[in-house]
Amino acid sequence: MSRIPLWAVLTPGEPTRLASRVRIALMLDEDEADGTEPSFELIQGSGPYHAIVGFNLMDVGVETQLAEEISLECDEPVYSIDQASDAWTIFSFRKGVEEVEEVSPEALAKSLGCPLPGGATTSEDPARTPLRTVALIEGVTTEEARRALEEDHGEPLPAGHYHFKDTPQGLVLSGGAGGMNFAHITLSERFPHATVYGVTASPALDEFSTTVIKGGEGIEEFSRPPQAFPSFPVASTIKGESSPERILAALGIPAEWFQDE
């Protein structure tokens, strides 16, 4: 498999059990006879560590959940890698305690004996185009969203954890210090009446996708350039528009929110 992973977990463990655990976390069926490419791959390492790598943008965020849970059951640290949004981010988890790691994904993976596939970038390579996710949640206000997310977190949100903006089209939400981390999907589940548009794009909008979500489930997806293996039925337009700039205008999402801060 030559695709570049969007997320990864580096962990010790028995490979078959790890693969089963990932399938449960991603809510995947065991039967893959429909010919679609799997959304994740488990790569056995040369030592105790193995790499679980994922390729579906909608799954980004599950890596921290998996790493934290697995770390509670082993003595070695477990690492999560997010390569989908902004620059890569690596966390280590030791018995559920999270720390930020200042090392490149490829260097870490190689040091653990489980190199990442697909030519993942290192500190010596040209940086990957940073992708950010911003969502429009129709029919939901900042106050309602904040309350729902705080209930989901079980505590008040730290300042700057998310960016909220009420607009005539609805609530525009992006990840702040904590990243998006499925917040728009959580809100879609909490407010099933709302239509959520999750937009992931590069600063120049040359990589651009919009997923329409209802009740926590993706309904359709618009991508430019088109994806070789779309996760949802392909949409030719979003709100009648077919260019990234006009789609953002229709959704009331400022293009500047995808640019470097």
mmCIF file of all heavy atoms in Angstrom, residues 79-106:
data_model
loop_
_atom_site.group_PDB
_atom_site.id
_atom_site.type_symbol
_atom_site.label_atom_id
_atom_site.label_comp_id
_atom_site.label_asym_id
_atom_site.label_seq_id
_atom_site.Cartn_x
_atom_site.Cartn_y
_atom_site.Cartn_z
ATOM 1 N N TYR A 79 2.412 5.704 21.142
ATOM 2 C CA TYR A 79 2.509 6.984 20.460
ATOM 3 C C TYR A 79 1.374 7.161 19.454
ATOM 4 O O TYR A 79 1.023 6.221 18.728
ATOM 5 C CB TYR A 79 3.842 7.083 19.718
ATOM 6 C CG TYR A 79 5.042 6.956 20.628
ATOM 7 C CD1 TYR A 79 5.606 5.709 20.874
ATOM 8 C CD2 TYR A 79 5.593 8.075 21.239
ATOM 9 C CE1 TYR A 79 6.712 5.578 21.712
ATOM 10 C CE2 TYR A 79 6.703 7.958 22.079
ATOM 11 C CZ TYR A 79 7.244 6.699 22.313
ATOM 12 O OH TYR A 79 8.335 6.585 23.138
ATOM 13 N N SER A 80 0.817 8.364 19.413
ATOM 14 C CA SER A 80 -0.164 8.714 18.383
ATOM 15 C C SER A 80 0.436 9.788 17.490
ATOM 16 O O SER A 80 1.140 10.686 17.965
ATOM 17 C CB SER A 80 -1.468 9.218 19.013
ATOM 18 O OG SER A 80 -1.289 10.497 19.590
ATOM 19 N N ILE A 81 0.156 9.679 16.183
ATOM 20 C CA ILE A 81 0.683 10.619 15.203
ATOM 21 C C ILE A 81 -0.471 11.138 14.354
ATOM 22 O O ILE A 81 -1.214 10.354 13.769
ATOM 23 C CB ILE A 81 1.733 9.958 14.289
ATOM 24 C CG1 ILE A 81 2.906 9.411 15.120
ATOM 25 C CG2 ILE A 81 2.229 10.935 13.232
ATOM 26 C CD1 ILE A 81 3.898 8.602 14.301
ATOM 27 N N ASP A 82 -0.614 12.445 14.291
ATOM 28 C CA ASP A 82 -1.592 13.096 13.427
ATOM 29 C C ASP A 82 -0.828 13.812 12.329
ATOM 30 O O ASP A 82 -0.078 14.746 12.602
ATOM 31 C CB ASP A 82 -2.440 14.082 14.230
ATOM 32 C CG ASP A 82 -3.364 14.925 13.358
ATOM 33 O OD1 ASP A 82 -3.445 14.673 12.138
ATOM 34 O OD2 ASP A 82 -4.006 15.840 13.903
ATOM 35 N N GLN A 83 -0.991 13.351 11.084
ATOM 36 C CA GLN A 83 -0.321 13.989 9.951
ATOM 37 C C GLN A 83 -1.327 14.660 9.019
ATOM 38 O O GLN A 83 -0.977 15.041 7.908
ATOM 39 C CB GLN A 83 0.483 12.955 9.156
ATOM 40 C CG GLN A 83 1.628 12.357 9.934
ATOM 41 C CD GLN A 83 2.587 11.579 9.063
ATOM 42 O OE1 GLN A 83 3.796 11.757 9.159
ATOM 43 N NE2 GLN A 83 2.068 10.718 8.209
ATOM 44 N N ALA A 84 -2.579 14.802 9.451
ATOM 45 C CA ALA A 84 -3.620 15.296 8.555
ATOM 46 C C ALA A 84 -3.837 16.788 8.655
ATOM 47 O O ALA A 84 -4.151 17.443 7.668
ATOM 48 C CB ALA A 84 -4.940 14.577 8.838
ATOM 49 N N SER A 85 -3.700 17.356 9.838
ATOM 50 C CA SER A 85 -4.043 18.756 10.013
ATOM 51 C C SER A 85 -2.853 19.527 10.539
ATOM 52 O O SER A 85 -2.117 19.047 11.406
ATOM 53 C CB SER A 85 -5.220 18.903 10.993
ATOM 54 O OG SER A 85 -4.905 18.284 12.222
ATOM 55 N N ASP A 86 -2.684 20.736 9.997
ATOM 56 C CA ASP A 86 -1.533 21.559 10.327
ATOM 57 C C ASP A 86 -0.263 20.741 10.087
ATOM 58 O O ASP A 86 -0.171 19.945 9.173
ATOM 59 C CB ASP A 86 -1.626 22.058 11.765
ATOM 60 C CG ASP A 86 -2.911 22.834 12.002
ATOM 61 O OD1 ASP A 86 -3.435 23.436 11.039
ATOM 62 O OD2 ASP A 86 -3.388 22.826 13.129
ATOM 63 N N ALA A 87 0.754 20.959 10.887
ATOM 64 C CA ALA A 87 1.938 20.107 10.829
ATOM 65 C C ALA A 87 1.656 18.853 11.639
ATOM 66 O O ALA A 87 0.681 18.773 12.391
ATOM 67 C CB ALA A 87 3.139 20.865 11.402
ATOM 68 N N TRP A 88 2.513 17.829 11.472
ATOM 69 C CA TRP A 88 2.324 16.610 12.235
ATOM 70 C C TRP A 88 2.377 16.900 13.735
ATOM 71 O O TRP A 88 3.048 17.816 14.199
ATOM 72 C CB TRP A 88 3.367 15.562 11.860
ATOM 73 C CG TRP A 88 4.779 16.063 11.742
ATOM 74 C CD1 TRP A 88 5.437 16.371 10.584
ATOM 75 C CD2 TRP A 88 5.701 16.349 12.802
ATOM 76 N NE1 TRP A 88 6.712 16.821 10.851
ATOM 77 C CE2 TRP A 88 6.898 16.815 12.208
ATOM 78 C CE3 TRP A 88 5.625 16.258 14.182
ATOM 79 C CZ2 TRP A 88 8.011 17.183 12.952
ATOM 80 C CZ3 TRP A 88 6.738 16.626 14.936
ATOM 81 C CH2 TRP A 88 7.910 17.084 14.316
ATOM 82 N N THR A 89 1.648 16.094 14.477
ATOM 83 C CA THR A 89 1.621 16.200 15.934
ATOM 84 C C THR A 89 1.804 14.809 16.511
ATOM 85 O O THR A 89 1.147 13.868 16.072
ATOM 86 C CB THR A 89 0.289 16.783 16.433
ATOM 87 O OG1 THR A 89 0.060 18.048 15.801
ATOM 88 C CG2 THR A 89 0.304 16.962 17.937
ATOM 89 N N ILE A 90 2.695 14.673 17.490
ATOM 90 C CA ILE A 90 2.942 13.377 18.115
ATOM 91 C C ILE A 90 2.723 13.501 19.617
ATOM 92 O O ILE A 90 3.238 14.411 20.266
ATOM 93 C CB ILE A 90 4.378 12.882 17.847
ATOM 94 C CG1 ILE A 90 4.622 12.723 16.347
ATOM 95 C CG2 ILE A 90 4.634 11.565 18.566
ATOM 96 C CD1 ILE A 90 6.020 12.262 16.010
ATOM 97 N N PHE A 91 1.944 12.563 20.167
ATOM 98 C CA PHE A 91 1.766 12.450 21.605
ATOM 99 C C PHE A 91 2.254 11.081 22.049
ATOM 100 O O PHE A 91 2.080 10.083 21.336
ATOM 101 C CB PHE A 91 0.302 12.599 22.006
ATOM 102 C CG PHE A 91 -0.288 13.956 21.737
ATOM 103 C CD1 PHE A 91 -1.219 14.131 20.731
ATOM 104 C CD2 PHE A 91 0.081 15.054 22.494
ATOM 105 C CE1 PHE A 91 -1.768 15.377 20.468
ATOM 106 C CE2 PHE A 91 -0.467 16.307 22.245
ATOM 107 C CZ PHE A 91 -1.392 16.467 21.238
ATOM 108 N N SER A 92 2.851 11.022 23.221
ATOM 109 C CA SER A 92 3.137 9.745 23.858
ATOM 110 C C SER A 92 2.175 9.584 25.032
ATOM 111 O O SER A 92 1.805 10.576 25.679
ATOM 112 C CB SER A 92 4.589 9.683 24.350
ATOM 113 O OG SER A 92 4.828 10.653 25.364
ATOM 114 N N PHE A 93 1.767 8.345 25.268
ATOM 115 C CA PHE A 93 0.879 8.037 26.384
ATOM 116 C C PHE A 93 1.534 6.969 27.251
ATOM 117 O O PHE A 93 1.902 5.897 26.759
ATOM 118 C CB PHE A 93 -0.477 7.537 25.882
ATOM 119 C CG PHE A 93 -1.298 8.588 25.198
ATOM 120 C CD1 PHE A 93 -1.138 8.843 23.846
ATOM 121 C CD2 PHE A 93 -2.220 9.342 25.913
ATOM 122 C CE1 PHE A 93 -1.888 9.819 23.207
ATOM 123 C CE2 PHE A 93 -2.973 10.323 25.287
ATOM 124 C CZ PHE A 93 -2.808 10.558 23.931
ATOM 125 N N ARG A 94 1.676 7.293 28.514
ATOM 126 C CA ARG A 94 2.197 6.337 29.496
ATOM 127 C C ARG A 94 1.153 6.176 30.573
ATOM 128 O O ARG A 94 0.894 7.097 31.327
ATOM 129 C CB ARG A 94 3.528 6.828 30.078
ATOM 130 C CG ARG A 94 4.674 6.866 29.059
ATOM 131 C CD ARG A 94 5.894 7.588 29.615
ATOM 132 N NE ARG A 94 7.054 7.477 28.737
ATOM 133 C CZ ARG A 94 7.280 8.251 27.686
ATOM 134 N NH1 ARG A 94 6.406 9.206 27.372
ATOM 135 N NH2 ARG A 94 8.358 8.078 26.943
ATOM 136 N N LYS A 95 0.527 4.994 30.587
ATOM 137 C CA LYS A 95 -0.571 4.732 31.522
ATOM 138 C C LYS A 95 -1.627 5.838 31.459
ATOM 139 O O LYS A 95 -2.148 6.296 32.473
ATOM 140 C CB LYS A 95 -0.037 4.583 32.950
ATOM 141 C CG LYS A 95 0.912 3.408 33.150
ATOM 142 C CD LYS A 95 0.239 2.080 32.840
ATOM 143 C CE LYS A 95 1.179 0.909 33.087
ATOM 144 N NZ LYS A 95 0.539 -0.399 32.731
ATOM 145 N N GLY A 96 -1.929 6.256 30.235
ATOM 146 C CA GLY A 96 -2.978 7.236 30.013
ATOM 147 C C GLY A 96 -2.553 8.682 30.143
ATOM 148 O O GLY A 96 -3.342 9.580 29.844
ATOM 149 N N VAL A 97 -1.313 8.931 30.545
ATOM 150 C CA VAL A 97 -0.829 10.304 30.710
ATOM 151 C C VAL A 97 -0.210 10.766 29.400
ATOM 152 O O VAL A 97 0.701 10.127 28.861
ATOM 153 C CB VAL A 97 0.194 10.399 31.853
ATOM 154 C CG1 VAL A 97 0.706 11.832 31.984
ATOM 155 C CG2 VAL A 97 -0.435 9.934 33.163
ATOM 156 N N GLU A 98 -0.676 11.888 28.893
ATOM 157 C CA GLU A 98 -0.277 12.391 27.569
ATOM 158 C C GLU A 98 0.863 13.396 27.666
ATOM 159 O O GLU A 98 0.874 14.264 28.545
ATOM 160 C CB GLU A 98 -1.488 13.045 26.904
ATOM 161 C CG GLU A 98 -1.220 13.788 25.619
ATOM 162 C CD GLU A 98 -2.410 14.599 25.187
ATOM 163 O OE1 GLU A 98 -3.473 14.019 24.916
ATOM 164 O OE2 GLU A 98 -2.269 15.843 25.121
ATOM 165 N N GLU A 99 1.830 13.260 26.748
ATOM 166 C CA GLU A 99 2.910 14.238 26.621
ATOM 167 C C GLU A 99 3.157 14.508 25.141
ATOM 168 O O GLU A 99 3.004 13.606 24.306
ATOM 169 C CB GLU A 99 4.206 13.734 27.266
ATOM 170 C CG GLU A 99 4.155 13.627 28.777
ATOM 171 C CD GLU A 99 5.499 13.235 29.362
ATOM 172 O OE1 GLU A 99 6.492 13.256 28.603
ATOM 173 O OE2 GLU A 99 5.549 12.912 30.558
ATOM 174 N N VAL A 100 3.558 15.731 24.811
ATOM 175 C CA VAL A 100 3.913 16.081 23.440
ATOM 176 C C VAL A 100 5.349 15.635 23.177
ATOM 177 O O VAL A 100 6.232 15.829 24.019
ATOM 178 C CB VAL A 100 3.775 17.596 23.201
ATOM 179 C CG1 VAL A 100 4.221 17.961 21.790
ATOM 180 C CG2 VAL A 100 2.345 18.046 23.454
ATOM 181 N N GLU A 101 5.581 15.036 22.005
ATOM 182 C CA GLU A 101 6.911 14.581 21.630
ATOM 183 C C GLU A 101 7.453 15.452 20.504
ATOM 184 O O GLU A 101 6.791 15.647 19.482
ATOM 185 C CB GLU A 101 6.869 13.123 21.164
ATOM 186 C CG GLU A 101 6.441 12.139 22.258
ATOM 187 C CD GLU A 101 7.468 12.007 23.357
ATOM 188 O OE1 GLU A 101 8.673 12.222 23.077
ATOM 189 O OE2 GLU A 101 7.086 11.690 24.501
ATOM 190 N N GLU A 102 8.646 16.004 20.697
ATOM 191 C CA GLU A 102 9.279 16.866 19.692
ATOM 192 C C GLU A 102 10.222 16.025 18.830
ATOM 193 O O GLU A 102 11.447 16.060 18.987
ATOM 194 C CB GLU A 102 10.033 18.007 20.368
ATOM 195 C CG GLU A 102 9.162 18.922 21.205
ATOM 196 C CD GLU A 102 8.177 19.717 20.356
ATOM 197 O OE1 GLU A 102 8.417 19.857 19.146
ATOM 198 O OE2 GLU A 102 7.180 20.206 20.917
ATOM 199 N N VAL A 103 9.666 15.237 17.935
ATOM 200 C CA VAL A 103 10.444 14.376 17.049
ATOM 201 C C VAL A 103 9.625 14.165 15.787
ATOM 202 O O VAL A 103 8.394 14.274 15.818
ATOM 203 C CB VAL A 103 10.759 13.022 17.739
ATOM 204 C CG1 VAL A 103 9.490 12.273 18.058
ATOM 205 C CG2 VAL A 103 11.697 12.166 16.889
ATOM 206 N N SER A 104 10.272 13.908 14.659
ATOM 207 C CA SER A 104 9.523 13.699 13.425
ATOM 208 C C SER A 104 8.892 12.313 13.422
ATOM 209 O O SER A 104 9.415 11.378 14.044
ATOM 210 C CB SER A 104 10.443 13.847 12.208
ATOM 211 O OG SER A 104 11.285 12.715 12.071
ATOM 212 N N PRO A 105 7.754 12.145 12.748
ATOM 213 C CA PRO A 105 7.096 10.831 12.711
ATOM 214 C C PRO A 105 7.998 9.726 12.185
ATOM 215 O O PRO A 105 8.047 8.633 12.747
ATOM 216 C CB PRO A 105 5.890 11.065 11.790
ATOM 217 C CG PRO A 105 5.633 12.527 11.877
ATOM 218 C CD PRO A 105 6.970 13.166 12.042
ATOM 219 N N GLU A 106 8.696 10.011 11.085
ATOM 220 C CA GLU A 106 9.519 8.965 10.481
ATOM 221 C C GLU A 106 10.675 8.576 11.387
ATOM 222 O O GLU A 106 11.002 7.388 11.510
ATOM 223 C CB GLU A 106 10.047 9.434 9.118
ATOM 224 C CG GLU A 106 10.779 8.353 8.331
ATOM 225 C CD GLU A 106 9.881 7.210 7.890
ATOM 226 O OE1 GLU A 106 8.646 7.351 7.960
ATOM 227 O OE2 GLU A 106 10.425 6.182 7.473
#
